[in-house]
Amino acid sequence: MRLLESTALQIKQKILSKQIRVVELVGQAFARIKAVDPTIQSFISLNEESALKQAREIDEKIDHNEKVGLLAGIPVAVKDNLCTRGLSTTCASQILKNFVPPYDAYVVKRLKEEDAIIIGKTNLDEFAMGSSTENSSFQITRNPWNVACVPGGSSGGSAAAVAANLTPMSLGSDTGGSVRQPAALCGIVGLKPTYGRVSRYGLIAFGSSLDQVGTMTKDVSDASLLLQVIAGKDSKDSTSVQTPVPDYLQGIDNNIQGLRIGIPKEYLTEGMHADVHKALKDALRIYEKLGAKIIDVTLPHTEYAVAVYYIVANAEASSNLSRYDGVRYGIRSTNAKGVIDMYCRTRAEGFGNEVKRRIMLGNYALSSGYYDAYYLKASRVRNLIKKDFDAAFEKVDCIIGPTSPVPAFKIGERANNPLEMYLSDIYTIPANLAGIPGISIPCGFSKDGLPIGLQILTKHFEEKQLLHVAYSFERETDYHLKRAVI
Amino acid sequence: MKYEVVIGLETHSELATATKLFCGCSTKFGADPNTQVCPVCLAMPGVLPVMNKKAFEYAMKSAAALCCKIDNYTNFDRKSYYYPDLPKNYQISQNYHNLGVDGFMDIEVKGTVKRIRIHNVHLEEEAGKLIHPEETGADYSLVDFNRAGVPLLEIVSYPDMRTVDEVESYMQTLRKMLLYTEISDCKMQEGSLRFEASISLRLKGVETLGNRVEIKNLNSMKFVIKAIEYEATRQAELLDRGETIDRETRLWDEINEKSVRMRSKEEAQDYRYFPEPDLLPVLIDEKWLSTIKSSIPELPFARKQRFVSEFKLSDYDANLLIEDKVLADFFEECVRGLNRPKILCNWITNDLLREAKERKLEIGQLKVKPAQLVSLVEIVEKGTISSTTAKEVFIEMIQTGKDPQKIVEEKGLIQISDEGLIGSVIDKIISGNPGVIDDYKKGKKNALTFLVGQVMKETKGKANPKMVNELLKGKLDV
């Protein structure tokens, strides 16, 4: 297996045993990016110069047998809605195309502290609003398994970069499935931790009560490693939680004898693609073989999840995006007369259609006279959805279903039908509403050779069990070892 | 006037915390523009607020001091509106669960106590400040974000006031409360205390409220009063002409002393309030609340009443003392040292206040300490120095901060109370002024005053005046 097709843990082992030098690894990564990314278009910007400088520094540390971090020398790509000090952070939006943050996001700071090498910033749907990465105002990212297809979204750039072997790991963000769905569509592992497990400081907000930074890796062990680095309480994020961070890799290979797996009947919907359904059934058979019990559960309010999500997320987004006004940073319209006109033109020129649509929907849901009927009601239904999960987790240890109802679809196929696009996230949204952790792991391929993802959900702060359940499947299968040919 | 004026006040007060409400930037007034800012208070993409616990406790303290109900659950809400001085284009405030509700504050007008109900007390963040260039025709404005994020307390009264005297008393009483609880410095010139008034008129005896008009941009208490008087007259004239009052917001133009329309009710903004997802709800348990409540000092109104009953001071004197907490504390510390409340009160309200005013100093900045004032009064009572000399010593104390005993010793001001010594001076004056003695014997009363003056002059003012008087009379009346 070629170096860049390896997992981070494999590469790390080679670095620490001095089989390869970090400079060489990083050089290879940039060479491959230059060869492949003009086709895939996963990166918005590259950080080559400082990445190589940092690589030399880590090599020196290793040469001198100095202590190095958990991610020593590992290239990591970062979604372009996570602030990186001195490195442009655009959210794939025209309105922030010239924005260079004066500070690092908490997760970026953690990567640096553990000697990871940030190689560049990856493409996304503008402000993470979308499920295909087609809403980027800069470029359309392609699925490495079939470049006519979307990589999913909104963390499509981060998913494609890992799937195309441009980087072993990347960070994404997940508000309604934006890590798990592209992971599924690109055949990699995507983990969304519990809301509050990872600090949101420096993650450019979309839906504040839903957003969570997530990991995108080639396998479950790498997901455990990356989560280990970014999890924990951050005093700069009031919603991050003090709960201790366990050692995620320790005991990951224990058996799952007696594990109770819940299958919600509400997830077996008509919209599910036949190949996805088959992959799910095969996966359950593997779990049974491993000694798990499959139990039917019900999440009765699932049918309202998408509606609730698009009210809550858009309401919060409409407020979060009001700061992009041309006053302090970002672009400012040059042909405005007066401050109101400046606001209007800056935002009209700076935001794309999907962002504008969501701002309008969000403002509507919050406006006086509609607040009770929309936002307040949605918040109440959201509580019912949480309670559904609480009740289900009384009976089972985890819930399993498909990540996405369909494998990767063609670029342009759903671009003009927002409602159909919104249904891409039907299985992933409930975890964000409930705040619970979820992971998508490769569980097969469609007849057309496109990857299919299996979603596993557990209780709040049960990432360790989540990774354990995922790992036990991965160990029995080889889907995660398949690499896209590009 | 056949109308009754109905007035409510909204008060904004900047809290005296060292740092801002949601970040660690300094709140110090007067720094160079945009030097007290960070990514959080500039609303950079991706930042999050973290609540300043001290600010929250100050707000709790004020809500408790205003006898509000304080629920064990409160949270912050986002209030959305676009303005260049508001970095996020929403203000983190409170709307759905205000910190304090349904409180009251007693005020006094001409000896009558009236209870003004408080609708709510809540905590929010301050906006920045727009700076408009002075050059004419400039096509830009500048923004200073130093103030953005300073903790701001909003206190909303019910429309329970009926006269400008009540409004005046409400503002003063509230100001004193904020100063006494030490949660705000209340410097109106720096904008740390601001008022907005809402005014409506109704025919006397009518119960329903008329349409109310809100008036903003009231930069001093004086303007509040002027604006209310202006607005009451304006509304009365409209009603007299049979016109209706529009529900609207008006701005006070302090130069032309009139209010001008800012926006009508129809143009009122929709703030699209919703709970702030970046902050956790604040849960207030009994223990926390009682700790805060126990930190509230005796408030001015209660203290005044106690000064009158405990120290037998007049209403007037007691009011002078409680005007400033530091002054009232100074007084009480003096009384603890020497139980002569009236004499000490006179020294404080006359001499101490006068000297502070002349020197443009706060009471706390004066060099004289309570124990020293007590010593001064004591040595006058003992007869060591005369009360005239005491005034001189007091000035010296103000200037140098020295103890009165030391000043008396250094300057040789100790009063002469030696009968023999005074007697011999008197003999000298009598023999040197035969004409005056004749006048005295003829019954001219001011002859005695002259002679006393001569004795005092001869002793450089140190003779005990009471003794001089008695001894002189004794010798002359033989």
Side-chain angles (χ1 to χ4, degrees):
Chain A
M1 192 182 267
R2 281 183 298 179
L3 183 60
L4 286 168
E5 292 179 5
S6 314
T7 67
L9 276 168
Q10 287 164 344
I11 294 173
K12 184 180 166 185
Q13 200 273 325
K14 286 194 172 120
I15 292 171
L16 295 182
S17 62
K18 302 185 186 177
Q19 291 177 60
I20 52 156
R21 294 182 70 75
V22 179
V23 168
E24 199 183 308
L25 166 71
V26 172
Q28 278 189 34
F30 281 108
R32 182 162 169 82
I33 289 169
K34 279 167 200 163
V36 173
D37 213 41
T39 309
I40 301 296
Q41 307 256 342
S42 59
F43 283 92
I44 289 178
S45 58
L46 296 176
N47 189 32
E48 190 167 2
E49 202 178 314
S50 54
L52 285 167
K53 181 169 168 276
Q54 206 195 336
R56 282 190 291 274
E57 286 165 6
I58 295 165
D59 276 335
E60 237 170 77
K61 277 198 204 174
I62 291 169
D63 289 346
H64 294 99
N65 295 316
E66 285 172 38
K67 194 170 178 286
V68 288
L70 280 173
L71 295 174
I74 306 296
V76 181
V78 175
K79 189 176 181 179
D80 210 20
N81 63 350
L82 285 161
C83 286
T84 41
R85 186 186 176 125
L87 190 60
S88 131
T89 301
T90 66
C91 278
S93 180
Q94 291 299 310
I95 211 158
L96 284 179
K97 67 177 176 189
N98 60 356
F99 177 62
V100 179
Y103 75 102
D104 275 330
Y106 174 81
V107 291
V108 170
K109 189 185 84 173
R110 286 293 301 131
L111 290 181
K112 290 180 176 175
E113 284 168 357
E114 297 296 343
D115 291 328
I117 293 177
I118 293 164
I119 54 167
K121 305 296 292 290
T122 55
N123 197 23
L124 63 150
D125 287 297
E126 184 178 0
F127 283 100
M129 294 174 178
S131 310
S132 68
T133 316
E134 290 166 290
N135 292 334
S136 166
S137 78
F138 299 132
Q139 64 209 41
I140 289 180
T141 300
R142 296 175 183 264
N143 192 315
W145 295 88
N146 179 347
V147 294
C149 290
V150 300
S154 63
S155 311
S158 284
V162 173
N165 304 314
L166 308 181
T167 177
M169 323 180 117
S170 60
L171 288 180
S173 68
D174 190 316
T175 305
S178 282
V179 159
R180 290 160 289 156
Q181 185 258 16
L185 270 49
C186 287
I188 62 166
V189 173
L191 167 69
K192 180 202 92 78
T194 308
Y195 184 79
R197 179 71 294 177
V198 178
S199 169
R200 293 182 293 120
Y201 189 75
L203 165 63
I204 298 183
F206 161 15
S208 308
S209 71
L210 303 154
D211 294 343
Q212 187 64 192
V213 178
T215 67
M216 311 190 84
T217 54
K218 286 182 171 23
D219 69 7
V220 175
S221 301
D222 275 8
S224 308
L225 173 67
L226 192 47
L227 178 63
Q228 199 77 53
V229 168
I230 62 172
K233 169 76 184 169
D234 171 21
S235 61
K236 286 193 163 76
D237 176 0
S238 314
T239 63
S240 73
V241 175
Q242 199 73 59
T243 312
V245 178
D247 181 342
Y248 292 115
L249 279 166
Q250 180 268 322
I252 198 167
D253 51 359
N254 291 348
N255 73 58
I256 55 159
Q257 192 67 42
L259 181 83
R260 300 167 302 166
I261 295 176
I263 306 297
K265 64 169 195 271
E266 292 80 5
Y267 284 17
L268 306 169
T269 50
E270 283 173 21
M272 199 196 297
H273 192 283
D275 296 349
V276 173
H277 197 207
K278 182 180 177 301
L280 174 65
K281 282 198 292 191
D282 291 347
L284 293 178
R285 214 166 293 131
I286 287 169
Y287 273 115
E288 278 182 309
K289 201 185 84 190
L290 290 170
K293 277 180 271 178
I294 309 295
I295 298 164
D296 286 336
V297 292
T298 173
L299 300 169
H301 297 92
T302 300
E303 63 173 306
Y304 305 111
V306 173
V308 166
Y309 173 80
Y310 278 95
I311 289 170
V312 173
N314 292 346
E316 291 176 1
S318 70
S319 164
N320 286 328
L321 270 60
S322 57
R323 70 188 58 193
Y324 308 109
D325 58 5
V327 173
R328 285 143 298 129
Y329 46 73
I331 62 151
R332 177 189 293 178
S333 177
T334 46
N335 43 14
K337 290 194 169 55
V339 69
I340 302 290
D341 192 38
M342 190 277 280
Y343 287 154
C344 294
R345 285 174 189 268
T346 296
R347 290 166 67 82
E349 293 163 20
F351 289 137
N353 284 341
E354 183 60 25
V355 173
K356 286 176 188 162
R357 175 167 25 245
R358 297 199 191 199
I359 290 172
M360 284 189 279
L361 286 169
N363 277 336
Y364 183 79
L366 290 176
S367 41
S368 146
Y370 297 97
Y371 175 83
D372 288 2
Y374 291 102
Y375 188 82
L376 197 62
K377 189 161 220 165
S379 302
R380 290 190 179 132
V381 179
R382 182 180 182 178
N383 255 324
L384 296 176
I385 289 168
K386 268 184 209 165
K387 284 184 178 152
D388 283 355
F389 279 106
D390 291 345
F393 286 128
E394 302 250 313
K395 298 192 191 97
V396 297
D397 304 305
C398 65
I399 287 170
I400 286 184
T403 306
S404 162
V406 292
F409 44 91
K410 293 267 159 51
I411 289 167
E413 190 182 309
R414 296 185 173 195
N416 295 317
N417 189 342
L419 267 183
E420 198 187 341
M421 188 73 94
Y422 292 174
L423 291 173
S424 305
D425 298 328
I426 189 161
Y427 301 132
T428 46
I429 279 171
N432 299 83
L433 292 173
I436 58 173
I439 195 168
S440 176
I441 55 173
C443 73
F445 290 88
S446 69
K447 291 197 183 92
D448 300 331
L450 290 167
I452 293 170
L454 183 75
Q455 178 175 240
I456 311 167
L457 306 170
T458 55
K459 273 189 251 188
H460 292 95
F461 299 102
E462 293 286 359
E463 283 83 359
K464 192 172 162 93
Q465 176 156 44
L466 184 70
L467 290 160
H468 178 209
V469 175
Y471 181 82
S472 58
F473 179 85
E474 186 181 88
R475 195 168 54 173
E476 290 299 309
T477 56
D478 60 1
Y479 305 118
H480 66 288
L481 298 175
K482 298 271 196 297
R483 299 286 179 259
V485 179
I486 179 101
Chain B
M1 193 158 86
K2 64 186 177 194
Y3 303 108
E4 181 177 49
V5 188
V6 177
I7 310 153
L9 286 187
E10 264 181 35
T11 308
H12 284 97
S13 172
E14 285 180 4
L15 298 179
T17 52
T19 56
K20 292 184 180 180
L21 185 51
F22 298 118
C23 66
C25 290
S26 168
T27 57
K28 205 161 183 294
F29 180 83
D32 285 344
N34 298 314
T35 54
Q36 290 168 179
V37 293
C38 72
V40 175
C41 57
L42 287 175
M44 287 278 176
V47 296
L48 297 169
V50 176
M51 189 187 76
N52 178 338
K53 193 176 172 196
K54 188 107 200 164
F56 190 83
E57 290 186 335
Y58 279 1
M60 278 170 79
K61 201 169 167 182
S62 82
L66 292 167
C67 306
C68 287
K69 290 187 196 113
I70 298 174
D71 197 3
N72 57 13
Y73 176 101
T74 182
N75 73 331
F76 290 95
D77 299 299
R78 290 184 184 178
K79 177 182 183 179
S80 296
Y81 63 93
Y82 277 79
Y83 206 67
D85 67 5
L86 188 66
K88 299 185 289 291
N89 286 314
Y90 61 80
Q91 178 192 34
I92 303 179
S93 178
Q94 298 191 286
N95 181 59
Y96 295 114
H97 290 278
N98 285 314
L99 175 55
V101 294
D102 290 334
F104 63 84
M105 186 176 74
D106 288 336
I107 61 167
E108 194 177 353
V109 177
K110 295 181 185 118
T112 309
V113 176
K114 181 169 176 176
R115 180 157 289 186
I116 307 297
R117 292 170 304 152
I118 302 296
H119 183 273
N120 78 75
V121 174
H122 66 262
L123 183 57
E124 60 191 23
E125 57 182 340
E126 179 77 284
K129 218 173 199 168
L130 287 188
I131 300 165
H132 302 290
E134 283 173 24
E135 62 202 87
T136 46
D139 62 349
Y140 66 94
S141 290
L142 301 169
V143 203
D144 176 7
F145 290 107
N146 282 352
R147 205 179 68 172
V150 167
L152 196 61
L153 187 71
E154 181 168 334
I155 299 165
V156 183
S157 86
Y158 276 93
D160 283 354
M161 286 163 270
R162 299 290 176 266
T163 64
V164 287
D165 287 343
E166 289 178 6
V167 171
E168 175 79 34
S169 176
Y170 175 86
M171 292 191 292
Q172 292 292 356
T173 311
L174 191 58
R175 181 179 168 274
K176 267 179 271 183
M177 185 280 282
L178 293 167
L179 288 169
Y180 264 62
T181 47
E182 294 173 328
I183 63 182
S184 174
D185 63 19
C186 293
K187 288 182 180 157
M188 291 198 77
Q189 68 280 12
E190 293 180 6
S192 57
L193 182 65
R194 314 192 287 269
F195 297 96
E196 288 169 21
S198 70
I199 301 141
S200 66
L201 260 55
R202 63 183 172 193
L203 281 170
K204 281 178 181 155
V206 170
E207 289 224 354
T208 50
L209 290 168
N211 276 347
R212 74 166 188 269
V213 171
E214 285 175 46
I215 304 184
K216 291 177 182 283
N217 194 38
L218 302 169
N219 295 322
S220 76
M221 293 193 192
K222 198 176 75 190
F223 293 144
V224 175
I225 301 299
K226 279 194 173 171
I228 290 171
E229 283 169 341
Y230 173 88
E231 184 59 24
T233 310
R234 189 187 72 89
Q235 289 187 20
E237 283 170 7
L238 284 172
L239 292 173
D240 283 344
R241 287 204 299 271
E243 291 178 39
T244 51
I245 306 296
D246 290 335
R247 245 188 101 171
E248 61 182 354
T249 301
R250 300 175 72 86
L251 282 180
W252 180 247
D253 173 350
E254 59 192 51
I255 293 163
N256 297 305
E257 300 203 337
K258 61 181 198 173
S259 66
V260 288
R261 169 179 279 205
M262 184 179 145
R263 58 171 181 249
S264 71
K265 190 186 173 241
E266 289 71 35
E267 297 162 281
Q269 311 209 27
D270 180 355
Y271 292 123
R272 301 192 303 276
Y273 283 106
F274 78 103
E276 167 57 275
D278 288 333
L279 291 164
L280 301 174
V282 186
L283 306 176
I284 302 168
D285 60 24
E286 268 310 310
K287 196 174 154 230
W288 190 19
L289 186 57
S290 67
T291 309
I292 295 299
K293 278 183 175 165
S294 65
S295 73
I296 298 171
E298 182 184 29
L299 294 175
F301 189 67
R303 197 172 203 184
K304 191 214 86 178
Q305 289 179 320
R306 184 169 59 80
F307 278 11
V308 170
S309 61
E310 188 177 332
F311 302 126
K312 308 284 176 281
L313 298 181
S314 67
D315 242 42
Y316 177 81
D317 281 344
N319 267 326
L320 276 179
L321 287 173
I322 60 112
E323 183 61 33
D324 177 353
K325 180 168 183 286
V326 181
L327 192 69
D329 288 345
F330 191 106
F331 168 74
E332 286 218 72
E333 201 178 328
C334 287
V335 176
R336 270 195 294 278
L338 179 71
N339 190 18
R340 289 280 186 281
K342 180 62 190 159
I343 293 168
L344 286 162
C345 172
N346 287 345
W347 273 104
I348 291 167
T349 56
N350 296 325
D351 304 79
L352 195 73
L353 276 182
R354 182 194 62 238
E355 295 304 319
K357 203 175 161 193
E358 270 180 18
R359 289 168 170 73
K360 295 193 172 64
L361 291 173
E362 306 277 334
I363 301 303
Q365 294 172 304
L366 290 173
K367 287 179 179 160
V368 178
K369 301 296 163 232
Q372 293 173 316
L373 181 60
V374 166
S375 303
L376 181 65
V377 174
E378 276 172 346
I379 58 177
V380 174
E381 296 225 320
K382 268 193 243 151
T384 313
I385 57 169
S386 68
S387 48
T388 320
T389 308
K391 300 279 176 190
E392 203 181 304
V393 173
F394 181 76
I395 302 295
E396 183 78 11
M397 286 161 69
I398 291 273
Q399 281 163 352
T400 64
K402 284 182 185 166
D403 286 342
Q405 294 91 335
K406 190 141 189 253
I407 296 168
V408 167
E409 276 166 33
E410 279 176 4
K411 300 209 153 185
L413 297 173
I414 293 174
Q415 189 164 263
I416 300 166
S417 300
D418 180 329
E419 208 169 302
L421 199 63
I422 296 175
S424 65
V425 176
I426 287 174
D427 290 343
K428 193 176 149 198
I429 297 297
I430 288 176
S431 60
N433 293 284
V436 185
I437 308 299
D438 283 347
D439 287 348
Y440 177 79
K441 298 216 159 135
K442 282 176 195 154
K444 281 197 178 169
K445 286 283 180 254
N446 56 359
L448 181 67
T449 316
F450 174 80
L451 291 168
V452 170
Q454 290 301 304
V455 176
M456 294 308 288
K457 196 176 164 191
E458 186 70 22
T459 59
K460 298 196 174 73
K462 285 191 272 182
N464 182 331
K466 204 171 146 215
M467 284 176 71
V468 172
N469 235 311
E470 280 166 12
L471 287 172
L472 196 58
K473 267 195 190 160
K475 293 199 191 245
L476 292 172
D477 294 344
V478 169

